[in-house]
Amino acid sequence: MSSPEKSNARAPDKQGNCEDSPLVTEQDTIAAIATPSGAGGVGIVRLSGSRAADIALHICGGQPMQARFAYHRRFLDADGDIIDDGLAIRFVAPQSFTGEDCVELQGHGGKIVLGRLLQRCLELGARQARPGEFSERAFLNGKIDLVQAEAIADLIAANTDAAAKQAQASLRGVFSGAVHQLAGDITKLRVYVEAALDFPDEDVDFLSDGSISESIENLVAALQVLLQQAHEGALIQTGAKLVLAGKPNAGKSSLLNALSGDDVAIVTDIPGTTRDLLRQTVVIGGVPFQLVDTAGLRSSHDPIEQEGVRRAEQAIRDADITLLVIDDSAPHTAAAIVEAQDALLVFNKIDLSGRNPGHFRHHDADAIALSVHTGQGIENLKEKILEKLGLRDSAETPFSARQRHIHALREALSQLLTSQQQFLSSGAGELLAEDLKRTHDSLGTITGVLSNDALLGEIFSSFCIGK
Ligand SMILES: Nc1nc2c(ncn2[C@@H]2O[C@H](COP(=O)(O)OP(=O)(O)OP(=O)(O)O)[C@@H](O)[C@H]2O)c(=O)[nH]1
Ligand SMILES: [Mg+2]
């Protein structure tokens, strides 16, 4: 069970406005198997809600349990037959993960045993929990905010060390803390602006003393840093899509094999070997990448190859980063490079062309010279990929984030920049006050200070059951 250090969210009312509303108490008691399906040494059934203790008391043969003590108990069915034996631990509201009365029944990790134990909980009046419902209740009861709830799911889903470490940081409240700090600074500025508007007859003209412009500038800078960190934090969680594109025979499939350290793609010296997209997950610098190998780009009358090229072009449009692989041992023209736009150019086969390995600039584009055959330049390529995505060192990214947070931060930044421009050109405090409020509201959606049922449904439905 997670116990976040910070608790910032308030329970939202029906309009989704959370400030100063009382704790939400759900009346029904939920139950779920909290451990993964399959065999395990221990399996846990979790109960949360006002009847949790009562239901557990029945299952455990009526012997009372003090909160936060582990009791060795027999778990009984309706006829008094033993389903299993194990540990029962009771948590009393609000000192539990969900903020409600909770019980954990820790038995043996078998499908049948846990299924019967859950069934008994349902017979005694509990309801099967929906995916993420325990975390949702923790959020609604103000135990964790939305970022922390999302971090729990990200921590469970993490498949690299960096992703797990950063999700853990968000769960501790590192990201939320940064958002609150920024929201606090905006509040101070709003108070200052409102005061200046309310007392226009004061000797000092607050609106033109320069401190407002300075504060907005500082806020913009802080928001830009947070946005960059969130961008990195999201990429490390979800991974980036990297597409290998280029003319037939350039060595795209060979590079896919080299980066994944596996012989996943067919390589031949026949141009047009790869016809379809081939995907492979590879970790580079702690960041998971989905590598996509594509059909060589050329015009063809073969309908299969035409479709392959169409898919390749679509993959390039969807990519976070594209490597345009060029055969440096064959004649290549600037045309291929123009096509690349902001792709990273990879000049392959330098074992034949004799070019030095490593980074160089080519027609104002970043280029890497390498040889898949000798391995020279491959490390330079990995570094450049991370640098291009703003991920020089994944270990320095302070927290995990999601696309939802990035959208909200972008919105907040654009509102702030608009307010800055308007204020500089007109000096009108009323408009500034309004824009600052909107910026504040955008930040509020991140931690869930402002939220609605649709958003919550979308977030929590993607959780696993029992969390
Ligand atoms: N000498 C040399 N040959 C290479 C290198 N990389 C790839 N090749 C050769 O180039 C040929 C084409 O390689 P592939 O990886 O199949 O090229 P591709 O870009 O995937 O080609 P298509 O699938 O046809 O689009 C093969 O014979 C590879 O062995 C390299 O670094 N040096
Ligand atoms: Mg290929």
Side-chain angles (χ1 to χ4, degrees):
M1 187 186 295
S2 332
S3 50
E5 286 162 13
K6 285 191 142 215
S7 152
N8 299 308
R10 300 275 164 75
D13 63 18
K14 289 214 171 66
Q15 285 75 43
N17 197 338
C18 306
E19 285 175 36
D20 301 327
S21 44
L23 290 186
V24 171
T25 43
E26 291 258 354
Q27 285 313 302
D28 52 352
T29 295
I30 52 172
I33 300 170
T35 40
S37 62
V42 176
I44 299 174
V45 169
R46 204 179 204 190
L47 283 153
S48 179
S50 54
R51 297 211 48 234
D54 196 29
I55 292 170
L57 196 66
H58 265 83
I59 293 176
C60 295
Q63 294 167 274
M65 295 182 282
Q66 274 189 60
R68 294 173 172 269
F69 279 81
Y71 292 91
H72 185 212
R73 292 278 189 264
R74 285 178 175 160
F75 306 146
L76 307 175
D77 70 10
D79 301 327
D81 288 337
I82 299 168
I83 300 171
D84 194 7
D85 71 306
L87 295 181
I89 306 174
R90 195 180 139 216
F91 301 87
V92 175
Q95 286 163 321
S96 70
F97 172 67
T98 59
E100 303 171 338
D101 283 347
C102 283
V103 177
E104 283 188 17
L105 301 174
Q106 309 186 351
H108 295 93
K111 198 167 76 176
I112 302 295
V113 171
L114 290 171
R116 285 182 66 200
L117 196 51
L118 175 63
Q119 185 53 39
R120 186 68 191 127
C121 293
L122 304 185
E123 283 165 15
L124 289 166
R127 167 173 69 71
Q128 166 75 56
R130 293 187 304 267
E133 200 170 0
F134 290 90
S135 301
E136 186 175 5
R137 287 187 177 196
F139 165 70
L140 293 172
N141 289 324
K143 300 294 285 187
I144 51 174
D145 67 25
L146 261 195
V147 168
Q148 290 172 313
E150 289 166 311
I152 293 172
D154 292 339
L155 182 62
I156 292 170
N159 47 24
T160 63
D161 282 353
K165 200 170 147 218
Q166 282 140 23
Q168 184 55 249
S170 284
L171 181 51
R172 286 200 309 275
V174 175
F175 184 20
S176 310
V179 173
H180 283 297
Q181 163 98 44
L182 209 60
D185 291 346
I186 292 174
T187 304
K188 274 189 214 145
L189 185 57
R190 283 177 67 188
V191 169
Y192 189 85
V193 173
E194 300 283 356
L197 291 171
D198 286 349
F199 302 103
D201 298 335
E202 292 288 318
D203 291 342
V204 187
D205 184 357
F206 290 107
L207 290 178
S208 59
D209 71 358
S211 66
I212 292 184
S213 309
E214 196 186 319
S215 300
I216 299 176
E217 240 168 71
N218 291 340
L219 284 171
V220 167
L223 201 45
Q224 279 166 336
V225 170
L226 199 58
L227 184 58
Q228 174 58 22
Q229 289 173 333
H231 173 70
E232 291 174 24
L235 267 184
I236 289 169
Q237 295 301 309
T238 57
K241 198 179 264 183
L242 184 152
V243 170
L244 295 153
K247 300 223 171 300
N249 237 17
K252 302 176 295 296
S253 303
S254 306
L255 187 54
L256 174 87
N257 290 347
L259 289 171
S260 60
D262 202 357
D263 197 16
V264 279
I266 300 173
V267 167
T268 75
D269 58 1
I270 305 163
T273 300
T274 307
R275 297 293 194 94
D276 209 344
L277 303 182
L278 181 65
R279 296 185 168 85
Q280 174 77 354
T281 302
V282 169
V283 177
I284 300 174
V287 183
F289 279 85
Q290 191 187 58
L291 264 47
V292 187
D293 185 19
T294 61
L297 299 168
R298 66 172 173 184
S299 53
S300 164
H301 295 299
D302 176 354
I304 301 173
E305 195 166 352
Q306 282 173 355
E307 177 59 17
V309 170
R310 195 194 64 75
R311 290 181 185 203
E313 287 166 349
Q314 182 60 46
I316 294 168
R317 281 193 287 276
D318 295 343
D320 291 304
I321 182 165
T322 298
L323 305 190
L324 182 75
V325 186
I326 298 153
D327 181 347
D328 200 29
S329 70
H332 45 76
T333 61
I337 289 144
V338 173
E339 280 168 25
Q341 293 164 7
D342 60 3
L344 176 56
L345 309 183
V346 176
F347 288 82
N348 184 28
K349 310 194 191 181
I350 58 165
D351 53 302
L352 299 178
S353 70
R355 196 193 290 267
N356 285 331
H359 174 248
F360 65 103
R361 297 285 293 176
H362 186 94
H363 290 269
D364 285 337
D366 274 315
I368 296 285
L370 57 80
S371 163
V372 173
H373 276 195
T374 65
Q376 284 178 298
I378 297 273
E379 282 310 310
N380 303 89
L381 174 66
K382 290 182 181 172
E383 282 163 21
K384 199 74 200 171
I385 290 169
L386 294 173
E387 188 190 316
K388 274 236 152 205
L389 290 170
L391 294 166
R392 219 174 275 242
D393 187 352
S394 65
E396 282 172 19
T397 303
F399 50 74
S400 64
R402 291 180 167 201
Q403 283 306 320
R404 183 183 83 75
H405 308 142
I406 293 173
H407 288 312
L409 288 171
R410 281 208 186 114
E411 212 171 81
L413 183 61
S414 95
Q415 278 145 357
L416 200 56
L417 290 171
T418 312
S419 70
Q420 188 181 34
Q421 262 172 9
Q422 279 182 352
F423 183 67
L424 288 179
S425 61
S426 72
E430 290 83 357
L431 287 178
L432 178 62
E434 194 48 43
D435 285 336
L436 286 174
K437 182 182 179 312
R438 277 210 291 271
T439 310
H440 200 247
D441 287 351
S442 293
L443 291 178
T445 63
I446 297 177
T447 52
V449 174
L450 286 176
S451 62
N452 58 50
D453 288 351
L455 173 69
L456 298 186
E458 197 181 312
I459 292 173
F460 290 106
S461 62
S462 66
F463 277 50
C464 49
I465 291 182
K467 193 63 226 177

